[in-house]
């Protein structure tokens, strides 16, 4: 593939990661018009080009410097590069992105009496993640036969080709509907932004250095909410206790009531209905909770 002066970012062409990757870049002010079956797509307003590929290929493309940056599930990154190669080839995780969360878990037929990891001794385990599974079992001193399959892992016990499985789980519904019970988590996964270990040209380093603060601003904003309310001055301590982690709240006098103030603050995202109900209980009113688009420090 011809070398480009644009920073090349690999993302999944179509699948669970694609929409969120494009949404993240769009929130960073970078727009793409992607045609059908396009492998490379240049951004309309930024010196970046997307490489649209299968998620399985992203870790090795980043490792080999085919692209400078990639967005991929930690599960794929560990399977294809981090757990496979001795020195990681300099591939580094720049950010955990907080979407496409899932876990790589071990599951056994529901009817099996599970007695801890030793129950797996001598078992045939089907998985699409043989490298991660091998490492995990070796670390725990359990000998298993790993049977690699590329899809439909969950049906292998029912058709008699495996005794247990090691697969990605999100809600657990797939395992359950195949008569399997999740018993151990091997890895908690989410999408990550990764950078190659190969040297970047000064030009590409500069493009990346401009992009990273934008991504950080978006991630920080996604993890926060802007909260506004009116509250009696006498209960401010209680308000701050209900909303811990609130960064430097702004307190303003209310024109018509000297006993009450307006409180504005950036709070962690976990401002749920329960939190609002508690704020009401201590006397807060007119409570507004709003999303934030960007936080630039
Ligand atoms: O075509 P390509 O190779 O690019 O895509 P793919 O089919 O290999 O990947 P895709 O799009 O299915 O998943 C991409 C990434 O999304 C994965 O590598 C994970 O990082 C992440 N992810 C998050 C998941 C899930 N959640 C998930 N639930 N990937 C797969 N699953 C599957 C799982 O394999 C199982 O079949 O969903 C089923 C379980 O879901 P629950 O909700 O029933 O537990
Ligand atoms: Zn894949």
């Amino acid at each position: 593939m011809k070398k480009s002066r644009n920073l090349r970012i690999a993302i999944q062409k179509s699948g669970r990661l694609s929409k969120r990757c494009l949404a993240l870049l769009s929130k960073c002010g970078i727009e793409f018009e992607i045609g059908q079956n396009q492998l490379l797509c240049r951004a309309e307003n930024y010196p970046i080009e997307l490489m649209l590929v299968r998620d399985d290929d992203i870790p090795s493309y980043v490792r080999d410097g085919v692209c400078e940056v990639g967005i991929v599930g930690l599960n794929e990154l560990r399977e294809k590069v981090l757990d496979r190669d001795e020195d990681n080839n300099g591939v580094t995780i720049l950010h955990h992105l907080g979407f496409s969360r899932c876990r790589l878990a071990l599951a056994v037929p529901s009817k099996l009496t599970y007695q801890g990891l030793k129950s797996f001794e001598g078992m045939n385990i089907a998985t699409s993640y043989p490298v991660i599974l091998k490492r995990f079992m070796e670390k725990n001193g359990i000998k298993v036969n790993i049977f690699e399959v590329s899809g439909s892992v969950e049906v292998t016990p029912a058709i008699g080709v495996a005794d247990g499985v090691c697969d990605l789980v999100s809600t657990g519904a797939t395992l359950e509907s195949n008569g399997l019970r999740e018993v151990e988590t091997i890895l908690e996964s989410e999408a990550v932004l990764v950078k190659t270990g190969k040297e970047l040209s000064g030009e590409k380093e500069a493009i990346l250095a401009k992009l990273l603060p934008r991504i950080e601003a978006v991630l920080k904003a996604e993890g926060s909410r802007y909260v506004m309310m009116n509250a009696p001055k006498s209960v401010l301590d209680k308000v701050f206790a209900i909303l811990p982690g609130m960064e430097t709240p702004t307190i303003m006098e209310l024109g018509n009531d000297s006993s009450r103030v307006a409180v504005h603050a950036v709070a962690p995202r976990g401002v749920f209905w329960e939190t609002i109900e508690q704020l009401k209980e201590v006397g807060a009113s007119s409570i507004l909770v709003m999303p934030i688009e960007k936080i630039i420090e």
Side-chain angles (χ1 to χ4, degrees):
M1 197 176 285
K2 207 166 123 270
K3 278 277 169 199
S4 160
R5 295 175 68 178
N6 301 315
L7 185 79
R8 193 174 274 167
I9 305 183
I11 67 165
Q12 189 186 28
K13 183 175 173 53
S14 83
R16 287 183 160 89
L17 297 160
S18 319
K19 266 195 189 149
R20 295 294 301 266
C21 291
L22 290 171
L24 173 64
L25 292 168
S26 167
K27 284 180 188 168
C28 292
I30 305 165
E31 298 296 343
F32 297 90
E33 196 66 57
I34 302 174
Q36 259 197 346
N37 298 322
Q38 215 174 333
L39 170 67
L40 286 175
C41 179
R42 169 83 208 267
E44 292 168 4
N45 56 353
Y46 208 81
I48 278 183
E49 66 190 28
L50 285 185
M51 227 176 102
L52 299 144
V53 290
R54 287 197 61 187
D55 68 340
D56 313 51
D57 297 329
I58 295 173
S60 49
Y61 283 153
V62 173
R63 178 195 60 206
D64 299 342
V66 177
C67 51
E68 288 79 32
V69 185
I71 298 177
V72 68
L74 181 60
N75 49 303
E76 280 299 336
L77 182 69
R78 282 207 20 199
E79 178 67 22
K80 299 286 169 19
V81 172
L82 299 188
D83 282 19
R84 189 174 295 240
D85 303 327
E86 275 310 308
D87 63 356
N88 297 349
N89 295 280
V91 172
T92 47
I93 296 178
L94 298 175
H95 278 295
H96 289 256
L97 300 174
F99 61 83
S100 298
R101 286 184 194 277
C102 57
R103 54 196 182 275
L104 184 65
L106 285 163
V108 292
S110 306
K111 58 183 188 308
L112 185 120
T113 314
Y114 183 68
Q115 294 173 316
L117 271 183
K118 65 178 183 344
S119 295
F120 284 99
E121 187 69 44
M123 266 197 193
N124 293 316
I125 308 179
T127 189
S128 306
Y129 296 89
V131 174
I132 299 178
L133 178 59
K134 182 165 177 277
R135 273 213 174 195
F136 177 83
M137 288 300 178
E138 279 174 1
K139 205 174 97 199
N140 286 285
I142 311 280
K143 287 205 174 62
V144 293
N145 304 311
I146 298 174
F147 178 63
E148 185 175 352
V149 287
S150 59
S152 302
V153 180
E154 66 280 0
V155 303
T156 53
I159 60 174
V161 296
D163 308 308
V165 302
C166 166
D167 198 9
L168 295 177
V169 183
S170 148
T171 61
T174 304
L175 291 180
E176 203 178 310
S177 64
N178 283 279
L180 299 170
R181 182 158 56 98
E182 186 179 346
V183 288
E184 303 282 346
T185 298
I186 294 186
L187 164 72
E188 297 282 355
S189 183
E190 66 185 286
V192 290
L193 178 72
V194 279
K195 183 186 172 194
T196 188
K198 307 275 184 214
E199 201 178 332
L200 266 61
S201 68
E203 219 169 344
K204 289 186 180 184
E205 278 292 0
I207 300 168
L208 184 59
K210 258 184 88 178
L211 174 66
L212 288 180
R214 292 196 187 187
I215 292 180
E216 279 150 23
V218 171
L219 293 178
K220 189 138 198 258
E222 280 177 350
S224 307
R225 291 289 178 268
Y226 196 75
V227 186
M228 304 199 295
M229 75 197 87
N230 294 342
K233 281 181 185 164
S234 56
V235 303
L236 282 182
D237 284 352
K238 288 183 185 158
V239 167
F240 298 155
I242 294 167
L243 283 171
M246 212 163 48
E247 284 177 30
T248 51
T250 308
I251 316 280
M252 285 169 286
E253 296 286 339
L254 290 173
N256 53 357
D257 184 351
S258 62
S259 67
R260 294 169 69 80
V261 286
V263 182
H264 290 198
V266 174
R269 188 185 179 162
V271 178
F272 301 116
W273 281 110
E274 291 76 8
T275 322
I276 295 167
E277 282 153 15
Q278 286 171 22
L279 289 170
K280 280 200 76 155
E281 271 165 32
V282 299
S285 59
S286 305
I287 306 166
L288 297 184
V289 181
M290 292 174 294
I292 303 173
E293 204 176 277
K294 297 173 185 75
I295 297 181
I296 294 119
E297 300 289 359

